[in-house]
Amino acid sequence: MAADSLAALHRAGHLAERYPAVQGLLAQVPDEELIKYGRLLARLDPDEVLAAHPAVPAPVVAVTGHGTLAALVAALTAEFARHGLLARVRLSEFDSWVFDLADPDSALYAARPSLAVCVLDPAVVTDELPLPWGVADVERVLTEKLALVERAAAVFAGAAHGATLVLNTLPLPRELTAQLVDLRSRARLGALWREANVRLLRLSEERSEVVTVDFDPLLAEGIAARDVRQSVYARAHLSDALLAAHAREVGHLARQSAGGGKKVLALDLDNTVWGGVLGEVGQEGIETDGGYRGGAFHRFQRVARQLGSQGVLLAAVSKNDLEPVVRALREHPGLALREEDFVQIRANWLPKHDNLTELARELNVGVDSIVFVDDSPFECGLVRRELPGVAVVQVDEEPALHVGRLLAEGWFDVRRLTADDLARPARYRQEQARQDFLDSFDSLDGYLRELDVSVTVADAEPAQYARVSQLTLRTNQFNLTTRRLQPAEVEALAEDPSASVLTVSSSDRFGDNGLVGAVLLRRDGDTWHIDNFLLSCRVFSRGIEAAVLAAVLEHARGEGAAQVLAGYRRSAKNGKVADFYPRSGFTTVAFDERSAAYRHGLDPLPRPADHIRLTARFETALLEGNPS
């Protein structure tokens, strides 16, 4: 039905007009058919889509490499559309990757891509081998090609203005190893090839602008590395299936870069986390860590707990009575998940979409931050209909497949895990203690006075750049301009003498909240610009934002500024802060339905609320620069 709808929209000429509906339609298309609809979507004129829907994220994706890569265009188009993105793909000429990446004046850089996908294949090595060849020849060519890649990455870092370079590891063809009749030489070749792939993977650690997709896990799933006839006749050295899997990984990266990452994993319990219905079979009757199927459920629990250990917020959402659920999580000897692993347990008989809405409200996140896993087609369908922003993972009666379905979409992937990620679940549990504390007060003012909020505003340190980047990528509600920055861009701003990256950290009587916000500043003569202001949803409504802004304005006046300009750009999720600057004493200088510009003359200066203990450490003076 979804496929028919897409085709009908295309035939009627309404696909561009209805582009926001494409995401939901593609969610119902089987993976094997995605490429067909990717070809259809690739025919769209991106300018026509953007004219109808200017708010649709439309990253430019430059594709270059060694072999024929036409199949990647349709795959990328489909994968981006699945995440509500409009891919503007620029495909380079055949085997132009060295020129594209090594020349700062190339067309690739002129396109100003958000992502540059450089697809490497085994032929980049084998095409350079002499005849006859030996292991030493392969080692020489690998060394030369890796040096080219590393030089290209260095040029990319300086020329691509904060974009991301996506590389991949090289599959090792049996056709190559089998040409060596000496098994010891064959083993040596395998070792050298893997060492080369390790160097490619290490580039992601050494350069923040590089992401290397490891093809080994994809190939281990049974995907063929190549179609020999396409390789020989069309010089398409990677199979369409492998390129489609690669496109999926790139799509996950693009979604995360556009602020589409998820924070909460909401799990149904009966026949999802454990086998059986607790209310019918009792604690002793559920299947987990034993029997034919129990091991499969236990495996799923371990994976969920592993995700939780890396900052994913686990919640249970189950149609059950609360008391037996809590008792099972506390007492059952075979469960890998325990009560303390969940930030919330919502076991009741309310509709699950209502529970998810309330869960999002209590955690102070958008419902579109939630991944919901359930085995019931009815519950999954209802959540999809009522809460289309929730990512729904429908599992079935085969628990061995639960893990694969949960992990398939990389919902919780981040560029770099930070200390704040690891501390996030504990901090949300602290938030429940704060809520209980609030409930004991008759007024919000009394609560805030006793909460003992401490705020520190300071210049960002190098160790904090990844966390600042993550805030720009994952914060959607208190994000005044929704400008997304990769770690390399944060570093560049911090090193720019006319700009400043400020961090906001907070704590209170319940503990340390960590790095919860950032302010991006720029100076142009006697005018300072607030290019963005971000604050984690965990610390809303405590006066922190007003205290930080007061510190920034006072700092600006102390450094000789005559005025501070700030902007707001509306998104689907930041409407609650649309009036933040006017409420803070700024006057409106420009306004339309999508954006606004504001000015503060620095007289009078606002004062932070009395309940905030504010520390401001501005160690770097902004030098005069030009507007960017």
Side-chain angles (χ1 to χ4, degrees), residues 90-102:
R90 307 288 188 263
L91 179 62
S92 293
E93 298 294 327
F94 177 84
D95 194 21
S96 61
W97 68 277
V98 175
F99 172 78
D100 284 339
L101 294 174

Side-chain angles (χ1 to χ4, degrees), residues 109-361:
Y109 294 116
R112 299 183 65 84
S114 300
L115 292 166
V117 183
C118 177
V119 182
L120 305 173
D121 58 59
V124 78
V125 176
T126 59
D127 284 355
E128 301 291 328
L129 294 177
L131 190 65
W133 58 268
V135 175
D137 297 303
V138 176
E139 183 175 20
R140 172 183 54 79
V141 176
L142 280 170
T143 300
E144 293 171 353
K145 297 302 180 182
L146 286 169
L148 278 176
V149 170
E150 289 167 350
R151 287 200 297 273
V155 173
F156 185 90
H161 308 294
T164 297
L165 174 61
V166 182
L167 304 172
N168 59 270
T169 57
L170 296 170
L172 175 57
R174 185 181 183 279
E175 180 180 292
L176 183 66
T177 61
Q179 293 179 52
L180 295 172
V181 297
D182 172 15
L183 296 185
R184 295 183 68 181
S185 297
R186 193 179 293 180
R188 173 65 178 153
L189 172 58
L192 288 169
W193 200 275
R194 287 166 178 82
E195 288 165 5
N197 279 335
V198 167
R199 282 183 62 182
L200 288 170
L201 291 166
R202 294 282 187 208
L203 270 178
S204 290
E205 295 181 342
E206 297 164 4
R207 292 192 167 277
S208 59
E209 67 277 353
V210 174
V211 171
T212 303
V213 176
D214 189 353
F215 276 0
D216 278 0
L218 306 180
L219 298 172
E221 294 293 319
I223 297 174
R226 70 169 184 161
D227 178 312
V228 66
R229 287 175 296 183
Q230 287 187 347
S231 178
V232 172
Y233 298 133
R235 299 190 64 76
H237 300 304
L238 298 176
S239 70
D240 288 356
L242 183 55
L243 289 177
H246 187 34
R248 177 151 294 188
E249 299 297 316
V250 177
H252 296 168
L253 178 63
R255 177 192 65 210
Q256 184 254 341
S257 297
K262 306 296 184 180
K263 301 175 182 177
V264 182
L265 175 57
L267 299 171
D268 170 52
L269 297 177
D270 293 337
N271 291 314
T272 300
V273 168
W274 55 58
V277 177
L278 180 64
E280 295 177 359
V281 301
Q283 178 179 313
E284 297 76 14
I286 60 176
E287 297 174 283
T288 176
D289 197 28
Y292 176 63
R293 290 165 22 110
F297 285 107
H298 194 262
R299 173 171 165 263
F300 180 74
Q301 295 163 25
R302 287 176 58 86
V303 170
R305 187 171 178 182
Q306 171 67 14
L307 293 174
S309 74
Q310 299 169 88
V312 176
L313 304 176
L314 301 185
V317 178
S318 174
K319 285 190 173 177
N320 263 305
D321 291 323
L322 179 61
E323 190 273 334
V325 166
V326 172
R327 188 170 67 247
L329 290 170
R330 288 175 180 172
E331 299 175 1
H332 196 291
L335 286 172
L337 283 171
R338 294 297 181 190
E339 179 186 12
E340 59 269 19
D341 293 314
F342 296 95
V343 295
Q344 277 203 24
I345 298 171
R346 303 191 65 82
N348 54 47
W349 298 98
L350 295 174
K352 290 194 175 178
H353 62 274
D354 288 343
N355 269 317
L356 293 172
T357 300
E358 186 64 14
L359 174 67
R361 186 191 67 78

Side-chain angles (χ1 to χ4, degrees), residues 428-483:
Y428 272 93
R429 294 186 192 98
Q430 291 172 359
E431 191 58 34
Q432 185 60 54
R434 291 184 185 94
Q435 186 62 42
D436 294 341
F437 187 60
L438 170 61
D439 292 342
S440 69
F441 284 85
D442 294 330
S443 71
L444 179 61
D445 287 343
Y447 162 72
L448 291 174
R449 281 195 301 271
E450 294 299 319
L451 190 58
D452 191 23
V453 178
S454 175
V455 177
T456 300
V457 185
D459 294 297
E461 299 176 357
Q464 298 172 316
Y465 295 163
R467 171 60 177 161
V468 172
S469 167
Q470 191 180 86
L471 280 169
T472 73
L473 296 173
R474 302 185 69 176
T475 301
N476 293 309
Q477 296 180 66
F478 198 108
N479 187 336
L480 273 297
T481 64
T482 63
R483 181 184 178 190

Side-chain angles (χ1 to χ4, degrees), residues 23-35:
Q23 180 179 9
L25 294 172
L26 286 178
Q28 305 171 55
V29 173
D31 287 351
E32 59 272 16
E33 294 184 19
L34 271 176
I35 192 71

Side-chain angles (χ1 to χ4, degrees), residues 52-84:
H53 306 285
V56 171
V60 174
V61 186
V63 175
T64 188
H66 176 69
T68 300
L69 297 170
L72 187 58
V73 175
L76 286 170
T77 302
E79 291 296 336
F80 279 49
R82 289 177 63 242
H83 301 303

